[in-house]
Amino acid sequence: MTTPETTPTGPLVARVAVDIALPHLDRPFDYLVPDADRASIAVGCRVRVKFAGKRADGFVLGLAGSSEAGDKLRPLERVVSPEVVLTAPVARLCRAVADHYGGTFADVVRMAVPARHAATEAAEPPPHPEPRPAAPPSILSRHPGGPVFLDALAAGRPLRAAWTPAPVHGPPGDWASGLVEAAAATLAGGRGVLLVVPDADALAALAERCAAVFGAGSFVTLAADLGPAARYRAFLAVARGRVRLVLGTRNAGYAPVRDLGLIAVWDEGNDSLAEERAPYPHAREVAALRAALERSALLVAGYARTAETQALVERGWLAPLNPPPAELRRLGPAVRIAADTDLALERDPLAHAARLPHDAFAVIRRGLAIGPVLLQVPRAGYVASAACADCRAPARCPRCRRTLRGERGADALQLVCGLCGPVPGPWRCADCGGTRLRAPRVGVRRTAEEIGRAFPQVRVVESWWGHQIAEVPDVPALVLCTPAAEPRASGGYAAAVLLDTHLLLNRPELRAAEEALRRWLTVCALVRPGADGGTVLAVGESDARALQALVRLDPVGFAARELAERRATGFPPAARLVYVEGPPAAVEHYAVAAATVPDAERYGPLPLTDETVRLTVRCPPARAAALLDALTRESARRSAHKEGGGVRVVVDPQVVD
């Protein structure tokens, strides 16, 4: 391959990755470059080609003076734009991600390179000043190993670390400042930085901190909700080398940052970092692959720690940056479980059966004396599901038999079917004929109504997805929210109560306890330190392992035990897991392909719907490449023969049920 500076004087051949996501065509194709396009073509630019009789877009992966196809080459249709948008390091990353997840190069490139916006390419680019020097670090430097990590970033050494800050409101839990300190050390060494966060709220908080430290305009943000023009403008600033600091959500991990020195991923267990489109890559894994390919530093961070990250720590691939549990407990809020002592049970004998035991009211009263109090409720709505008060059978829609939920009506509970809408007329139980209703699953709105009656003089704030409150003032108030919809409190919450913890723990998923602990630690991070009166009370079974880890503020110990259990039972990350979903006949071919791989265990197929089944294949990590190769070859065979019926292949699924 050649560069534009060494372009041959004879025929010029372009190797093109055509934008066609068919497994049997997942390779570059050679095209002859017309003389009219020789001056404008470049490795990484967009081109238009004729493929299978149709016009298709593609990216130039390389230029050469000859091709194995000889003189049978088709010419390029045209160079769409001379702008280099797919750099060589990002192209290698896309190939690695596609191979790791059993996908195609074209599918991954669509995540990496945004759609072209011609007017933005032609417009005058906005100015981007160099980032200002930052103040000496005060967050990461407090952690064991933190100064060594920061010195390595400044020197350009590719150290990799897992950071677990204290889950508390204030400097010890200020994750955004910690990422900014790591970025400042890397920028001071003359290299580029890429910071990835899970959602728009985290991105806004990080952008605000970066603007305060480095100056407005010294960085760009990349997120899907920016809009086509704004996103492409920011992407071009990175591709042209005009900025060295990039912030963004999951697909920002592919940003073409030049001389990349650091990739950091915040809240690494958040499922928002998992891509919903094939081949379903996770931003944490993309960052790890990129750090290895480009020899850049890596920082994987979060208040909680996943088993995947713990496995990398135990292998020595990531260095731990976390205070010991005793220090976390000293820095964090005081955490305990309701009715966890004999005295509490004597005072409230029904505490274990009550949804809001006496301890919860006591914590709320003490918290309201000094500031706002947060109550986390796992379910949104008013009544998540209704049931007959006489026989306890679920209340079902008389038309479609779906379980009914309840909304607040003018005089009584209004039953609503998620498919048919409001249920007209009086309801009657189909099992016993009863007409009285009970609410076994209460949502955040009903809880707000009940708690508001108990504290009639206190302002009640409700926040849930679709009705989210960003921030509350530092005055006494009751703030009720669903997970991931917690408003920030300007001075930190005085107390927090975690209700219905069993609902998060009892989900039939492999990662249920891990995800529950992550959500609870996120609440702890909004509460004041215990030294300032900050308290977190969890209402649940005291013997639940995730709740015990919460009380100890020990996410690292929990991750280590979770990893040990998964090793014993053969679940990820101790093994690679693949789901194959589709029509039974098609899935059977994949089962035959998987059978050729030694040590690959097949489970199923099991029916998902009347027309779809799921095959689960598990293998040791050492056999993963062979398994994915066998499954990819089967996908290529199906696409080459144009076999009907869509098949979905998911490698290391986020939800293992």
Side-chain angles (χ1 to χ4, degrees), residues 15-20 31 44-49 55-61 76 78-81 85-86 105 109:
R15 297 199 72 194
V16 178
V18 184
D19 187 14
I20 296 177
Y31 285 86
C45 74
R46 287 184 169 96
V47 293
R48 181 72 53 81
V49 299
R55 289 184 174 87
D57 291 328
F59 297 93
V60 177
L61 298 183
L76 290 172
R78 66 185 179 92
V79 174
V80 175
S81 167
V85 291
L86 182 62
F105 184 84
V109 167

Side-chain angles (χ1 to χ4, degrees), residues 148-291:
V148 174
F149 182 69
L150 292 171
D151 290 344
L153 293 179
R157 297 199 304 273
L159 259 64
R160 300 179 295 266
W163 176 41
T164 309
V168 65
H169 181 270
D174 190 353
W175 64 269
S177 291
L179 293 192
V180 167
E181 289 179 0
T186 308
L187 293 169
R191 303 190 70 185
V193 177
L194 179 54
L195 307 179
V196 180
V197 295
D199 52 43
D201 290 340
L203 182 59
L206 184 59
E208 181 181 358
R209 194 63 49 85
C210 286
V213 173
F214 301 121
S218 61
F219 60 91
V220 296
T221 59
L222 290 172
D225 57 0
L226 287 178
R231 185 184 179 198
Y232 195 60
R233 185 181 304 113
F235 178 84
L236 285 180
V238 182
R240 292 169 176 173
R242 298 177 61 86
V243 293
R244 295 189 293 136
L245 175 58
V246 179
L247 327 177
T249 49
R250 60 185 178 226
N251 285 337
Y254 303 95
V257 180
R258 295 188 183 180
D259 191 18
L260 184 62
L262 170 68
I263 312 172
V265 180
W266 169 249
D267 200 8
E268 49 100 6
N270 195 314
D271 55 10
S272 294
L273 292 172
E275 178 58 54
E276 298 175 353
R277 297 172 293 171
Y280 318 105
H282 194 287
R284 178 191 58 235
E285 306 304 318
V286 173
L289 287 169
R290 187 167 187 181

Side-chain angles (χ1 to χ4, degrees), residues 368-393:
L368 288 174
I370 57 175
V373 175
L374 179 72
L375 287 86
Q376 186 192 70
V377 183
R379 284 196 169 93
Y382 191 73
V383 173
S385 65
C388 175
D390 297 326
C391 69
R392 305 300 176 95

Side-chain angles (χ1 to χ4, degrees), residues 101-102 278-280 508-511 570-572 576-582 586-587 590-591 594 601-606 608 612-619 627-628 631-632 635 646-657:
Y101 284 97
Y280 318 105
E509 297 177 13
L510 175 67
R511 307 177 197 274
F571 280 107
R576 297 296 298 276
L577 205 65
V578 181
Y579 284 166
V580 182
E581 299 172 355
V587 171
Y590 283 89
E601 302 172 317
R602 294 168 295 159
Y603 301 91
L606 298 176
L608 297 179
T612 305
V613 299
R614 173 191 287 172
L615 170 72
T616 301
V617 186
R618 180 173 65 179
C619 73
L627 175 61
L628 291 177
L631 298 180
T632 300
S635 296
V647 175
R648 181 172 177 258
V649 178
V650 186
V651 179
D652 293 337
Q654 278 297 107
V655 178
V656 181
D657 49 14

Side-chain angles (χ1 to χ4, degrees), residues 205-598:
L206 184 59
E208 181 181 358
R209 194 63 49 85
C210 286
V213 173
F214 301 121
S218 61
F219 60 91
V220 296
T221 59
L222 290 172
D225 57 0
L226 287 178
R231 185 184 179 198
Y232 195 60
R233 185 181 304 113
F235 178 84
L236 285 180
V238 182
R240 292 169 176 173
R242 298 177 61 86
V243 293
R244 295 189 293 136
L245 175 58
V246 179
L247 327 177
T249 49
R250 60 185 178 226
N251 285 337
Y254 303 95
V257 180
R258 295 188 183 180
D259 191 18
L260 184 62
L262 170 68
I263 312 172
V265 180
W266 169 249
D267 200 8
E268 49 100 6
N270 195 314
D271 55 10
S272 294
L273 292 172
E275 178 58 54
E276 298 175 353
R277 297 172 293 171
Y280 318 105
H282 194 287
R284 178 191 58 235
E285 306 304 318
V286 173
L289 287 169
R290 187 167 187 181
L293 288 170
E294 298 193 37
R295 291 191 54 78
S296 65
L298 174 66
L299 183 62
V300 179
Y303 293 123
R305 181 178 289 181
T306 61
E308 285 78 7
T309 296
Q310 182 63 22
L312 295 177
V313 171
E314 294 186 9
R315 280 173 46 194
W317 201 79
L318 289 174
L321 294 182
N322 48 270
E327 181 67 6
L328 285 179
R329 289 193 292 273
R330 185 186 70 82
L331 296 171
V335 184
R336 63 187 183 88
I337 300 174
D340 58 347
T341 65
D342 293 339
L343 180 61
L345 285 174
E346 286 180 13
R347 185 188 304 116
D348 188 3
L350 300 178
H352 287 315
R355 183 166 180 261
L356 278 165
H358 177 273
D359 273 1
F361 284 99
V363 167
I364 292 171
R365 289 191 191 96
R366 287 196 297 268
L368 288 174
I370 57 175
V373 175
L374 179 72
L375 287 86
Q376 186 192 70
V377 183
R379 284 196 169 93
Y382 191 73
V383 173
S385 65
C388 175
D390 297 326
C391 69
R392 305 300 176 95
R396 299 191 180 277
C397 175
R399 183 178 178 187
C400 70
R401 305 302 297 165
R402 289 169 64 104
T403 302
L404 298 173
R405 71 174 191 270
E407 297 293 344
R408 184 178 181 181
D411 301 316
L413 189 69
Q414 171 65 61
L415 294 177
V416 178
C417 172
L419 183 63
C420 305
V423 177
W427 174 85
R428 183 176 295 276
C429 178
D431 293 342
C432 70
T435 58
R436 296 185 304 123
L437 289 164
R438 63 186 295 269
R441 297 179 180 178
V442 177
V444 65
R445 298 182 65 187
R446 174 67 176 268
T447 306
E449 184 180 282
E450 293 174 352
I451 206 74
R453 286 198 293 263
F455 298 91
Q457 305 302 320
V458 180
R459 176 179 175 234
V460 177
V461 179
E462 301 174 36
S463 178
W464 63 87
W465 188 86
H467 181 267
Q468 201 160 340
I469 307 299
E471 189 171 0
V472 294
D474 190 21
V475 296
L478 288 165
V479 182
L480 288 94
C481 64
T482 54
E486 298 91 354
R488 298 184 305 275
S490 56
Y493 287 99
V497 179
L498 306 172
L499 296 176
D500 303 332
T501 56
H502 64 283
L503 294 180
L504 292 178
L505 289 174
N506 293 342
R507 292 181 304 158
E509 297 177 13
L510 175 67
R511 307 177 197 274
E514 184 179 87
E515 174 65 9
L517 180 60
R518 186 188 70 82
R519 292 183 181 275
W520 297 334
L521 289 171
T522 300
V523 171
C524 291
L526 300 173
V527 180
R528 301 169 187 173
D532 296 336
T535 303
V536 176
L537 180 76
V539 181
E541 296 295 332
S542 59
D543 59 351
R545 196 175 66 193
L547 284 175
Q548 292 174 355
L550 177 68
V551 171
R552 297 192 307 270
L553 291 182
D554 185 20
V556 174
F558 177 84
R561 286 185 289 274
E562 183 78 8
L563 177 60
E565 280 197 0
R566 294 193 195 177
R567 282 176 176 152
T569 54
F571 280 107
R576 297 296 298 276
L577 205 65
V578 181
Y579 284 166
V580 182
E581 299 172 355
V587 171
E588 182 58 33
H589 286 292
Y590 283 89
V592 172
T596 64
V597 180

